[in-house]
Each structure stands twice: as C-alpha cells, then as structure tokens.
Amino acid sequence: MGSRGAGLILTSPNGVVTEQVLRFEFSVSNNEAEYEALIVGLKLANELKVEDLKVFSDSQLVVSQILRDFETREPSMQRYLQKVRDFTSILGSFNIQHIFRTENLRADQLLKLATSCMSELPKATVLENLQMPSTEEPEPTLCIETKPS
C-alpha cells in the first residue's frame, strides 16, 4: 500500500507559515513519500537561502536513516538518502527530529487534502504535482557556449 500525497509545513523564525500539498502521479511507498516531502522542503529551503534548518518528521525510519541510526539497505532508500545528504551538505546547520504522529496533525490534514479536489484546498496552500520520483530527476545542465553546426 502506497501513498498518494504528502503534506509539508514550513515555518520561518518570525512565524510565517507556508503549507504545501504534494500529489504523486507515480507509485510511492509511505517511506518514499516521507523522503519526497523532505526533499521538496529542502529544495524550497535552498531557494530561500535558508542556512539553519530544523526538520520534524513523524517517520521514525526516515529520521533514523538520516541520523545513521538505521542502516539503509534498499537501493531506492539509498538514492533518497543520498539526495537528502546532497541538499543538507550545503546548509550551515541541519537538524532532524522524530515527532509522534499526534504532534503532526496539521501535516496529516494536508495529506488528506492531497487526495481531495482543488476547491477544497485552502487558498494559501501550495499544490505541487510530482510526476516522477525526485531521485529520477535529470540533473540541471547549463549550456555555456553554442556554435552553429
């Protein structure tokens, strides 16, 4: 059984809250969905030039893999973990902590919204449809110089 979406909440130090709903247009396990949400959050933090990031997740497996408490054996999980490490390596400070699902109710509400229709989403909520796993995204390329052939 897999997940069809994920919820993500970003809170700035001065209390500005951004909520994002992710819809997956590909098959994804619950743990892969947790990694996808984390990677989207890390991308956004990178775009916003965040230097110090604290993450709270209700996935004990994902948190434990990132903290190196659990071994990551499955190849798909290894690819997700590497993607997370690539993003966290450019941060000044990165801290991830496991929280209980009961402490993560708003993210769970956003997850339910991920499977609802657009009209049910709060206006301030960002919806992103992910077409492929983030581990399969092509690396960006930059064309420096071109010459006619």
Side-chain angles (χ1 to χ4, degrees):
M1 181 173 156
S3 179
R4 298 289 304 143
L8 173 68
I9 301 168
L10 296 171
T11 307
S12 72
N14 59 355
V16 176
V17 175
T18 302
E19 296 180 341
Q20 189 161 0
V21 173
L22 307 175
R23 284 189 183 154
F24 304 121
E25 297 180 8
F26 54 93
S27 180
V28 61
S29 72
N30 290 337
N31 290 321
E32 290 169 335
E34 293 285 345
Y35 268 114
E36 288 289 350
L38 176 57
I39 290 168
V40 168
L42 288 168
K43 284 179 184 177
L44 185 55
N46 184 38
E47 290 170 11
L48 296 173
K49 310 240 184 289
V50 171
E51 293 182 16
D52 301 315
L53 186 64
K54 292 180 185 171
V55 174
F56 301 93
S57 173
D58 61 23
S59 172
Q60 178 150 9
L61 177 76
V62 170
V63 171
S64 295
Q65 286 178 341
I66 292 168
L67 294 175
R68 302 177 200 265
D69 293 337
F70 289 178
E71 188 177 339
T72 310
R73 295 182 183 164
E74 205 174 309
S76 67
M77 292 289 110
Q78 290 172 347
R79 288 190 298 273
Y80 277 114
L81 183 58
Q82 185 55 53
K83 194 95 170 169
V84 168
R85 295 215 189 288
D86 291 346
F87 278 108
T88 59
S89 68
I90 58 177
L91 293 169
S93 170
F94 174 76
N95 182 299
I96 188 165
Q97 180 180 340
H98 176 255
I99 60 172
F100 293 105
R101 190 162 297 241
T102 55
E103 297 175 54
N104 207 14
L105 292 177
R106 184 61 188 145
D108 281 348
Q109 290 170 341
L110 289 173
L111 172 59
K112 289 182 178 106
L113 289 174
T115 58
S116 61
C117 59
M118 283 294 293
S119 63
E120 295 180 38
L121 290 175
K123 298 227 183 293
T125 302
V126 177
L127 171 66
E128 183 174 349
N129 289 311
L130 299 180
Q131 311 230 333
M132 68 178 66
S134 58
T135 56
E136 294 179 17
E137 291 176 340
E139 291 298 319
T141 57
L142 178 61
C143 185
I144 306 284
E145 182 178 329
T146 61
K147 296 180 182 176
S149 56

